[in-house]
Amino acid sequence: GKRNMNIRGAMIHAIGDCLQSLGVMLAAAIIWGFNKGLYGDESDARSLFNLADPGCSVVFAVITIFTTKGLARDIFYILMEGQPPQVMVGDLKESILHVDGVKSISEMHVFSLNPNDIILTVRVTALVDSVNASTSIRSKIRRLASKQGIDHATIEVHPLTA
């Protein structure tokens, strides 16, 4: 599965802080060096080199946006309970409809609550004459879900009424 999002965020943050510190030192060297060399004073107010500090801040803000974009997208996808891309929901639905006894699917959701665990909730209508038949259908659907990488399945079997 994917790495833990907290670890990814912490790594991006730590690396960003290191780079930001280097940028601050670079801006300070530019301001100090060029002002001292051109104006004889390390902090001459007339110098355009003083813009190196806010310039570095803007550059690193843009870098931060681009480096965190993927993580933010992944977090948003999880929060919105998006369908995991590795699960072929149409194929899974067709497979469930081919399980002996299953006549229809009235509701089906495949989603993740974290990057590593995929969840299926499904409600099927089936011809069942006993608890064992219902248990057998659930077991077959769980196996189909497992083949698609689904870790947890909640399966409701409603008996078909005439």
Side-chain angles (χ1 to χ4, degrees), residues 24-44 47 49-50 52-53:
V24 167
M25 288 189 282
L26 177 66
I30 290 170
I31 292 168
W32 182 82
F34 282 102
N35 282 344
K36 182 81 169 167
L38 293 174
Y39 302 107
D41 181 11
E42 294 93 2
S43 60
D44 192 284
S47 174
F49 293 107
N50 293 338
D53 185 40

Side-chain angles (χ1 to χ4, degrees), residues 114-146:
N114 67 54
N116 301 315
D117 300 318
I118 302 172
I119 300 166
L120 165 70
T121 61
V122 63
R123 181 183 302 155
V124 299
T125 303
L127 289 172
V128 289
D129 54 4
S130 67
V131 173
N132 287 342
S134 180
T135 302
S136 174
I137 288 171
R138 280 191 197 92
S139 180
K140 289 175 185 173
I141 293 173
R142 270 197 186 85
R143 276 196 299 277
L144 291 170
S146 181

Side-chain angles (χ1 to χ4, degrees), residues 62-83:
V62 170
I63 290 171
T64 300
I65 288 168
F66 282 105
T67 57
T68 58
K69 188 173 68 172
L71 179 61
R73 182 189 61 240
D74 291 348
I75 291 169
F76 184 76
Y77 194 77
I78 296 283
L79 289 173
M80 294 292 105
E81 296 181 5
Q83 175 189 318

